[in-house]
Amino acid sequence: MGQLKGIKQGNDKEEIARIKQALNQTFKIKDLGDLRYFLGLEVARSKKGIMVNQRKYALELLTDAGLLACKPAPTPIDNREKFSSTRSVPFTYIQFLVKPITAHYTAAIRILRYIKGAPSLGLFFSSNTSTHLKAFCDSDWGTCSDSRQSVTGFSVYLGNSTISWKSKKQGTISKSSCEAEYRAMGNGHGYM
């Protein structure tokens, strides 16, 4: 790999050709051109940046669920919906899930209806964004009506581009909203 010393970042075509040739001597590579599709992700480049989405997968998912012609939903979930395993009607048509309820099924269908309205939504990585890393976190204290556990959510941005996000029920029960927020901050910091 000594041949690759002095690699520079940029779009110098001669330098790129030299690197490809050096890689080919070691690994026998094939140049497939600009990336357009990889592991189910569709990639589109422009001068403004890179757009990544899963449009093909979204349409296949809707087709498999029989919802390709359904009416789109404006949001992925109704935030007024509270799930409870003790105060709901069991959903008996699915196996291998722990106590599903009809509200879970309704929520899953709503997510698919949301996808129907925007199958090409994805992540955009701007070509002129800053390299400033920032993170936001929050918690919803005691939101689980069954366990009283809080839910933590966070997102991490490089400039204006989202690079990581997660929402998860906290492992322990917080005694106050302040404690739940502190745990959320700790969880978000662990992913930075």
Side-chain angles (χ1 to χ4, degrees):
M1 296 303 282
Q3 299 174 19
L4 296 178
K5 286 184 180 176
I7 293 177
K8 299 174 185 173
Q9 181 179 355
N11 50 7
D12 180 349
K13 294 191 185 301
E14 291 176 14
E15 183 72 11
I16 292 171
R18 188 184 74 73
I19 291 170
K20 286 179 184 178
Q21 183 180 15
L23 287 170
N24 189 39
Q25 290 173 355
T26 305
F27 301 107
K28 302 298 179 206
I29 65 170
K30 181 178 180 182
D31 185 359
L32 299 175
D34 289 341
L35 177 65
R36 288 193 171 79
Y37 194 80
F38 182 71
L39 297 176
L41 298 172
E42 294 179 40
V43 181
R45 293 176 178 260
S46 72
K47 290 182 180 181
K48 293 181 180 179
I50 298 172
M51 179 66 180
V52 180
N53 68 43
Q54 292 183 293
R55 183 180 179 279
K56 181 180 176 195
Y57 174 70
L59 295 174
E60 288 173 2
L61 192 62
L62 290 167
T63 300
D64 291 347
L67 295 172
L68 194 57
C70 73
K71 180 181 176 185
T75 59
I77 195 162
D78 181 356
N79 63 357
R80 298 168 296 184
E81 182 71 48
K82 300 295 181 195
F83 299 107
S84 171
S85 62
T86 58
R87 291 178 265 143
S88 301
V89 178
F91 188 73
T92 57
Y93 301 107
I94 299 177
Q95 297 176 350
F96 305 112
L97 294 175
V98 178
K99 296 183 181 178
I101 57 176
T102 54
H104 291 136
Y105 177 77
T106 303
I109 296 299
R110 183 177 177 116
I111 291 169
L112 291 173
R113 288 180 48 226
Y114 174 73
I115 291 171
K116 164 66 168 139
S120 297
L121 277 182
L123 298 174
F124 180 71
F125 301 98
S126 177
S127 60
N128 60 4
T129 190
S130 72
T131 56
H132 181 72
L133 191 63
K134 56 189 170 190
F136 299 93
C137 63
D138 196 9
S139 73
D140 194 356
W141 180 47
T143 193
C144 179
S145 57
D146 294 328
S147 68
R148 302 306 303 154
Q149 288 172 291
S150 303
V151 173
T152 292
F154 73 88
S155 56
V156 181
Y157 297 83
L158 181 62
N160 293 328
S161 300
T162 308
I163 58 171
S164 181
W165 63 93
K166 186 173 187 176
S167 178
K168 182 180 179 182
K169 197 183 314 185
Q170 292 182 357
T172 58
I173 298 172
S174 298
K175 295 177 184 174
S176 67
S177 61
C178 183
E179 183 180 340
E181 294 288 345
Y182 183 73
R183 289 182 193 279
M185 225 173 15
N187 288 340
H189 183 268
Y191 289 93
M192 296 276 299

